[in-house]
Amino acid sequence: MLSRSLVIFICFGVLAGLIFGFYLHEIKNTNQLVYVDGPSISIVTEKSDFKKGEEIKITVVNSGTTSITFSEPSYSLRITGLFGIVIYSPLISQVPTTLKPGEEIVYVWNQIKNNNDPVLEGLYKINSNGIDSLGNNVEKSVIVNIWK
């Protein structure tokens, strides 16, 4: 017969594995482009797992039915660590800063931080936010993995 503490540890391990699995499944959502009625932004990458040093093509799409205005010419694109510290934001001087429904803008990130250091392996969050015609904030983010 198994000891009581062994049964407790096994149950705890199974429960922790189940919860962690659901968490990872939530992060690994590959359905990045969803068209909706109303304001919406989608961020699309070719895949979610990248090798270290591989270029990452990022497409910001207005996937809604209303125009989205951005406060910056870079379409408010930010790449952060999971703790929210900005490691990369493109310095782009192109205008306009409005995406009409169905329009998109493409960036290529070479995994270099704003301080010209290469990023480390890990999870990174790509975020963009704008304002719809009613003044409401519209935001979208996706998570990508960078591996060796």
Side-chain angles (χ1 to χ4, degrees):
M1 186 121 187
L2 298 175
S3 71
R4 183 183 220 187
S5 61
L6 180 61
V7 171
I8 290 172
F9 284 124
I10 289 173
C11 290
F12 180 76
V14 169
L15 183 62
L18 184 66
I19 291 171
F20 190 64
F22 280 121
Y23 172 73
L24 288 179
H25 179 66
E26 179 77 22
I27 286 178
K28 191 108 172 151
N29 185 5
T30 57
N31 190 9
Q32 297 176 344
L33 183 57
V34 177
Y35 288 96
V36 299
D37 188 25
S40 177
I41 300 173
S42 293
I43 299 175
V44 181
T45 57
E46 300 139 332
K47 53 189 177 180
S48 60
D49 295 320
F50 295 90
K51 292 181 180 178
K52 191 166 172 17
E54 180 181 1
E55 288 187 342
I56 300 175
K57 182 179 162 187
I58 304 165
T59 306
V60 179
V61 181
N62 181 345
S63 55
T65 56
T66 61
S67 293
I68 304 291
T69 304
F70 298 88
S71 60
E72 302 171 11
S74 64
Y75 294 88
S76 301
L77 186 73
R78 301 271 186 273
I79 299 174
T80 66
L82 290 182
F83 295 111
I85 299 171
V86 176
I87 60 164
Y88 178 76
S89 179
L91 302 173
I92 298 190
S93 61
Q94 64 174 231
V95 255
T97 57
T98 299
L99 280 180
K100 295 179 183 170
E103 284 187 333
E104 61 185 45
I105 187 76
V106 177
Y107 296 102
V108 176
W109 179 44
N110 58 0
Q111 297 185 19
I112 301 294
K113 299 179 186 179
N114 279 344
N115 64 2
N116 290 327
D117 290 338
V119 298
L120 301 174
E121 295 86 13
L123 297 171
Y124 292 91
K125 184 177 182 181
I126 303 171
N127 185 21
S128 180
N129 62 342
I131 299 172
D132 69 0
S133 59
L134 299 175
N136 298 319
N137 192 26
V138 182
E139 184 173 359
K140 179 67 176 189
S141 62
V142 296
I143 295 179
V144 295
N145 304 313
I146 298 177
W147 306 106
K148 278 188 174 184

